[in-house]
Amino acid sequence: MARFELKLPKMGESVAEATITNWLKQVGDKIEMDEAVLEIATDKVDSEVPSEVSGILIEQLFGKDDLVQVGQTIAIIETEEGSSFLVDKVTEETVVPTEVVFVEKTIEAAKEMVATPADYTTSDKFFSPLVKNIAKEENVSIAELESINGSGKDGRVTKEDILAYVVNRTNKVEVPKVEVKVAVEVPAPAPVVVKVQEPVVLKAAPVSVNGGDEIIEMDRMRKLISGYMVASVQTSAHVQSFIEVDVTNIVKWRDKVKAAFEKREGEKLTFTPIMMEAVAKALKDFPGMNISVDGDYIIKKKNINLGMAAALPNGNLIVPVIKNADQLNLVGMAKAVNDLGNRAKTGKLKPDDTQGGTYTVTNVGTFGSVFGTPIINQPQVGILALGAIRKVPAVIETPEGDFIGIRQKMFLSHSYDHRVVDGALGGSFVKRVAEYLEAFDIDRDF
């Protein structure tokens, strides 16, 4: 027999670790090739880890809720003799003493402990991804990171703060103390009375619970979403702009072509890809909205990657990303929207599907809302909410005069970060999106 080490696979460029949420196979269970062995969760997506071989699960190296690094061995599977995945073969001629095995396992465990980076998610403070990466590379502990006095907004630790701390820590030299005695007559100071004001501590309002109330603990994803939302509001200065859009031509065009579109492309044509196409065009016109903020620095994004907020069956929210959205035509956009939306609903998204977004769109009209004020998806600086499309009476201007007619209209709600986006840019951007939608060619092909 042979032993195969099942390792945590690479799940994307920016994903370095995952949490084990459930073991689908227990020690002694038979496993087929490509069969799921356990379920894991990153900070955005839940997924399964399949086996690359067939065999028997003989050891689980981590338990439920343990944090595992990419590339670490998480389980041992015993396979058939002669497998190409041979790791440790014991025969009659080769006998490994128990003491050697124990020492080797101890050394490996020590290596993993040293290699495991600090878990900065346990801190109550908000640190940007760049600051966390620098801290990990320089082996700055969570306690050290929390002790740094940040120069950013609300005391946030910036890139300059963490780099200065690392330099000072590296160049710190013990200076011998020299005691100098100087005889100086100093008159006794007058007594000073100092009133110390007690610090104001904000506490959550107490919640009363009676016998008829049900107490339900938040699931893991809801806890993450809760933390992200609070951190975003504390980080960005949210401000909103609203604009009403006449989308009558879009509604008529979709009604006219949706059957032919589905027959030819095998995809349903919704309003979302049409809206996403307009947003991608507007971002090319206003690259100042396609940025992120890190401390006192603005990072201009090269690619336009549109996040698409999607509701999950359990009520939680996830934001898959359409990469290089400005390079897609309407058919490509529709396929991307449908693919990500379907995989979000069925729990088939991969970690990379939720990474790298530069701007986000959320469709609050799906649930009947006329408009909303969405919270920015950090570290982006803007998010657009699409309201419900409604038939409303409107003034229609013609050469023969004005008259009242029934039009299809919707509201666009643009939330943006006032630290770096002023009203002129935030308002001009959403106005450009509206112009693209109202100028939609009803005779265009798909």
Side-chain angles (χ1 to χ4, degrees):
M1 305 298 285
R3 291 160 57 113
F4 170 73
E5 291 184 353
L6 180 64
K7 301 179 182 294
L8 182 65
K10 183 176 177 61
M11 297 170 289
E13 294 181 1
S14 58
V15 181
E17 60 190 19
T19 301
I20 295 176
T21 57
N22 185 34
W23 280 96
L24 302 176
K25 296 292 184 179
Q26 302 302 321
V27 174
D29 288 351
K30 185 177 180 180
I31 301 172
E32 299 295 334
M33 183 180 294
D34 295 329
E35 187 176 8
V37 179
L38 69 157
E39 294 175 339
I40 59 172
T42 66
D43 60 343
K44 292 288 181 74
V45 177
D46 295 349
S47 58
E48 298 175 342
V49 177
S51 175
E52 300 173 40
V53 297
S54 298
I56 304 296
L57 180 63
I58 61 173
E59 188 173 0
Q60 296 174 346
L61 301 181
F62 292 91
K64 184 179 178 181
D65 297 329
D66 283 350
L67 190 67
V68 185
Q69 305 301 308
V70 169
Q72 277 190 299
T73 302
I74 50 182
I76 303 296
I77 299 173
E78 191 174 70
T79 66
E80 293 295 329
E81 181 71 30
S83 170
S84 60
F85 298 100
L86 184 62
V87 175
D88 182 20
K89 183 177 180 182
V90 181
T91 66
E92 295 179 359
E93 292 81 11
T94 306
V95 179
V96 183
T98 305
E99 294 82 358
V100 175
V101 175
F102 175 79
V103 172
E104 288 178 349
K105 287 187 176 181
T106 303
I107 293 174
E108 288 300 319
K111 287 181 179 179
E112 290 186 3
M113 289 179 62
V114 173
T116 302
D119 182 9
Y120 301 106
T121 61
T122 59
S123 174
D124 293 332
K125 293 187 176 181
F126 174 79
F127 300 107
S128 70
L130 179 60
V131 170
K132 291 179 182 179
N133 288 336
I134 295 175
K136 288 181 180 180
E137 292 175 1
E138 300 295 338
N139 294 322
V140 177
S141 68
I142 183 64
E144 290 178 284
L145 191 58
E146 289 181 332
S147 68
I148 299 175
N149 292 323
S151 61
K153 179 179 173 59
D154 299 327
R156 283 185 58 207
V157 177
T158 66
K159 180 176 75 173
E160 290 72 28
D161 297 332
I162 183 67
L163 291 177
Y165 176 81
V166 171
V167 171
N168 292 335
R169 184 179 64 171
T170 304
N171 298 333
K172 187 178 290 184
V173 179
E174 292 294 333
V175 180
K177 295 181 180 180
V178 179
E179 185 177 356
V180 179
K181 295 183 178 180
V182 181
V184 180
E185 291 186 4
V186 180
V192 178
V193 179
V194 180
K195 293 183 178 180
V196 180
Q197 184 176 358
E198 291 294 327
V200 178
V201 179
L202 298 178
K203 296 182 179 179
V207 178
S208 61
V209 180
N210 59 42
D213 295 336
E214 182 181 3
I215 301 175
I216 303 173
E217 183 180 4
M218 294 183 189
D219 60 26
R220 184 193 61 83
M221 183 171 284
R222 177 50 55 185
K223 290 178 183 178
L224 290 171
I225 293 172
S226 174
Y228 292 149
M229 296 300 99
V230 172
S232 181
V233 172
Q234 292 177 341
T235 300
S236 297
H238 282 64
V239 67
Q240 284 81 27
S241 291
F242 307 92
I243 191 166
E244 191 175 26
V245 190
D246 189 330
V247 292
T248 304
N249 283 350
I250 293 177
V251 174
K252 289 181 178 179
W253 179 82
R254 176 180 172 271
D255 289 341
K256 181 177 66 175
V257 306
K258 64 181 181 181
F261 185 93
E262 184 173 0
K263 182 178 180 180
R264 193 185 85 176
E265 302 297 335
E267 300 280 350
K268 289 186 179 297
L269 179 62
T270 65
F271 290 110
T272 301
I274 302 173
M275 307 296 174
M276 299 294 263
E277 181 186 52
V279 172
K281 289 180 180 179
L283 286 173
K284 291 191 72 173
D285 296 339
F286 294 94
M289 288 304 311
N290 199 52
I291 65 173
S292 61
V293 181
D294 182 40
D296 296 329
Y297 293 88
I298 295 173
I299 302 172
K300 290 186 176 181
K301 297 297 184 178
K302 178 181 178 181
N303 299 325
I304 294 177
N305 300 333
L306 288 183
M308 181 183 72
L312 298 176
N314 61 3
N316 288 324
L317 181 72
I318 198 166
V319 185
V321 177
I322 301 173
K323 307 293 175 61
N324 299 309
D326 57 313
Q327 300 177 19
L328 299 176
N329 60 16
L330 186 57
V331 174
M333 188 73 77
K335 289 181 180 293
V337 167
N338 291 343
D339 173 58
L340 291 173
N342 291 334
R343 287 197 285 125
K345 292 176 182 178
T346 57
K348 300 298 183 182
L349 287 175
K350 300 176 182 178
D352 251 4
D353 292 329
T354 62
Q355 305 294 328
T358 60
Y359 188 88
T360 297
V361 178
T362 179
N363 190 352
V364 298
T366 301
F367 310 104
S369 296
V370 177
F371 57 80
T373 55
I375 296 175
I376 296 169
N377 187 15
Q378 297 294 328
Q380 300 165 24
V381 299
I383 181 171
L384 185 70
L386 309 174
I389 298 176
R390 303 168 301 137
K391 289 183 179 181
V392 296
V395 176
I396 301 174
E397 298 179 357
T398 70
E400 291 75 25
D402 298 344
F403 66 92
I404 301 296
I406 303 299
R407 306 295 290 178
Q408 301 271 7
K409 289 197 173 187
M410 66 181 295
F411 281 99
L412 302 180
S413 310
H414 187 209
S415 295
Y416 46 95
D417 189 343
H418 212 345
R419 294 179 302 167
V420 290
V421 180
D422 292 329
L425 174 56
S428 297
F429 169 78
V430 70
K431 185 173 184 291
R432 182 62 53 84
V433 176
E435 289 170 350
Y436 279 127
L437 295 175
E438 291 188 338
F440 189 88
D441 183 5
I442 194 170
D443 296 320
R444 69 175 283 183
D445 191 12
F446 52 80

